[in-house]
Amino acid sequence: MKKLILAITAILVAGWVGAAELNWETDFDAAVAKAKKENKLVFINFTGSDWCGWCKKLDAEVLSTPEFKEFAAKNLVLLYVDFPAKKELPAAQKKANEELKKKYGVRGFPTIVVLNGQGDKVYEKVGFMAGVDKWLAALKEAKGK
């Protein structure tokens, strides 16, 4: 019985640890290179991490869910493009983020841009959508393109 409990605990801990963190890139070129190599989509999250209520809601209701994390690990390279109000970004990062914001015509936060694995075609550009199921359906459709 003790071995069974230990085995179940180990499986649960392994699942929890595996889904605990998303690996976000902050460099566009590195994200695209990784997407090409791994045959994944590029998922760009334009966010105001420390001030945007809808960004926080997106993170809590979608990006932090086990379902999204599992899908992301297999299908996405995640790129975090932040525009914080209270935290100062390094000048180079701030400039790169501004350039990406301009390139993709981002006017509000959150904005999610999904690119093909080559980084040269936009499949999706959306703001907040409630529910992880809607996100996964849209991402699966983009993955099939």
Side-chain angles (χ1 to χ4, degrees):
M1 182 68 165
K2 189 174 183 180
K3 287 183 182 181
L4 178 62
I5 292 172
L6 287 173
I8 292 171
T9 302
I11 290 167
L12 291 173
V13 168
W16 178 75
V17 170
E21 292 296 322
L22 293 173
N23 296 315
W24 291 94
E25 299 284 339
T26 56
D27 179 272
F28 179 81
D29 293 332
V32 171
K34 186 175 181 182
K36 285 179 186 178
K37 181 180 176 188
E38 298 177 6
N39 192 29
K40 294 181 176 181
L41 300 173
V42 180
F43 181 95
I44 308 174
N45 180 10
F46 289 89
T47 184
S49 65
D50 63 2
W51 60 268
C52 172
W54 289 107
C55 300
K56 292 176 184 183
K57 188 172 176 71
L58 177 65
D59 184 52
E61 294 182 9
V62 177
L63 305 179
S64 294
T65 65
E67 298 90 349
F68 181 84
K69 290 177 181 181
E70 181 181 337
F71 182 86
K74 295 175 185 173
N75 299 287
L76 306 174
V77 173
L78 304 169
L79 179 62
Y80 198 71
V81 183
D82 197 9
F83 296 84
K86 300 171 189 163
K87 175 181 150 188
E88 189 64 34
L89 295 176
Q93 186 68 59
K94 190 173 184 177
K95 181 180 181 209
N97 289 0
E98 286 292 341
E99 288 171 358
L100 286 171
K101 180 181 171 190
K102 183 177 179 181
K103 178 178 181 175
Y104 293 106
V106 173
R107 295 181 183 200
F109 302 105
T111 295
I112 302 297
V113 176
V114 180
L115 306 176
N116 66 352
Q118 303 301 308
D120 59 358
K121 183 174 180 184
V122 175
Y123 284 157
E124 297 285 338
K125 181 179 170 188
V126 296
F128 178 82
M129 287 191 306
V132 70
D133 293 339
K134 289 181 185 176
W135 282 98
L136 294 180
L139 290 167
K140 286 175 185 173
E141 183 180 325
K143 183 73 175 160
K145 291 182 180 180

